């Protein structure tokens, strides 16, 4: 039986054509798409805020943050999309996803260092790459998605 030191779990999801994952320990919940209230003068990658059971949560568009083309929305893709609510340094922040995939268990030895540039995303946001049957799973580091100044500005929106 594998120990916690040799494996971990990721919540996997699609952004555009690529498959990404974030540590299940950073995920608070996954919610369906809902109306996002626009915030004037917010950074370009902040879509706005939502009210989730009385809690105000900033919503980040990783398509904009990573310069990934958004997929064309159809009735089916609207149903598959949503928000992953992350806990980043004690603050809840939502990210827009095109489609939630599944929870995957990953062996630490299967994680490879990311190439220098991967689909327009800088390697500073990536913890590693895992080979999957259908391609690759890109493991995002939620702690590095925003620098301290950006995170503070996002938190102030709450």
């Amino acid at each position: 039986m594998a120990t916690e030191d040799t494996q971990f779990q990721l919540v996997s999801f699609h952004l555009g054509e690529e498959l990404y994952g974030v540590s299940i320990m950073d995920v608070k919940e996954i919610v369906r798409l809902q109306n996002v209230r626009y915030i004037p003068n917010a950074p370009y990658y902040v879509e706005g805020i939502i009210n989730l059971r009385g809690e105000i949560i900033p919503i980040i568009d990783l398509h904009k943050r990573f310069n990934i083309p958004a997929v064309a929305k159809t009735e089916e893709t609207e149903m598959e999309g949503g928000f992953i609510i992350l806990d980043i340094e004690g603050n809840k922040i939502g990210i827009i996803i095109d489609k939630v995939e599944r929870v995957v268990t990953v062996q630490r030895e299967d994680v490879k260092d990311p190439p220098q540039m991967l689909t327009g995303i800088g390697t500073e946001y990536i913890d590693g790459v895992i080979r999957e049957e259908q391609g690759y799973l890109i493991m995002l580091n939620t702690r590095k998605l925003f620098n301290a100044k950006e995170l503070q500005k996002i938190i102030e929106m709450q």
Side-chain angles (χ1 to χ4, degrees):
M1 190 163 135
T3 66
E4 286 184 37
D5 293 334
T6 61
Q7 67 182 20
F8 57 95
Q9 291 185 311
L10 298 173
V11 174
S12 62
F13 58 92
H14 286 273
L15 278 180
E17 299 296 319
E18 299 293 336
L19 185 63
Y20 295 88
V22 292
S23 171
I24 198 166
M25 301 305 288
D26 293 337
V27 175
K28 287 299 171 197
E29 62 185 299
I30 300 170
V31 296
R32 296 186 86 109
L33 282 176
Q34 54 185 280
N35 288 335
V36 177
R37 173 170 265 179
Y38 173 76
I39 300 294
N41 300 319
Y44 71 95
Y45 52 83
V46 175
E47 196 68 16
I49 56 172
I50 62 169
N51 184 332
L52 186 62
R53 294 181 297 281
E55 194 169 5
I56 303 302
I57 300 183
I59 300 296
I60 307 302
D61 188 340
L62 290 182
H63 294 93
K64 292 177 183 175
R65 178 74 173 165
F66 296 152
N67 202 21
I68 298 172
V71 295
K73 297 286 183 196
T74 65
E75 198 170 306
E76 183 180 332
T77 59
E78 286 280 335
M79 295 298 291
E80 295 173 336
F83 306 121
I84 294 180
I85 308 301
L86 300 171
D87 183 336
I88 300 177
E89 297 181 17
N91 300 289
K92 289 185 180 175
I93 295 175
I95 57 172
I96 299 171
I97 59 168
D98 291 328
K99 177 182 176 184
V100 68
E101 194 62 32
R102 66 190 198 286
V103 174
V104 294
T105 300
V106 175
Q107 300 298 322
R108 290 207 188 276
E109 69 228 24
D110 293 338
V111 178
K112 306 298 180 209
D113 288 335
Q116 285 295 9
M117 285 302 283
L118 194 59
T119 63
I121 299 175
T123 55
E124 67 267 19
Y125 306 123
I126 301 173
D127 269 347
V129 178
I130 300 115
R131 180 126 172 91
E132 293 267 300
E133 288 179 25
Q134 303 297 325
Y136 293 95
L137 170 63
I138 302 165
M139 200 168 77
L140 295 177
N141 183 330
T142 59
R143 305 285 183 273
K144 294 182 180 177
L145 287 178
F146 314 101
N147 64 38
K149 189 175 180 181
E150 290 171 326
L151 187 58
Q152 183 60 38
K153 189 166 185 167
I154 293 167
I155 292 165
E156 287 171 0
M157 288 181 215
Q158 294 174 323

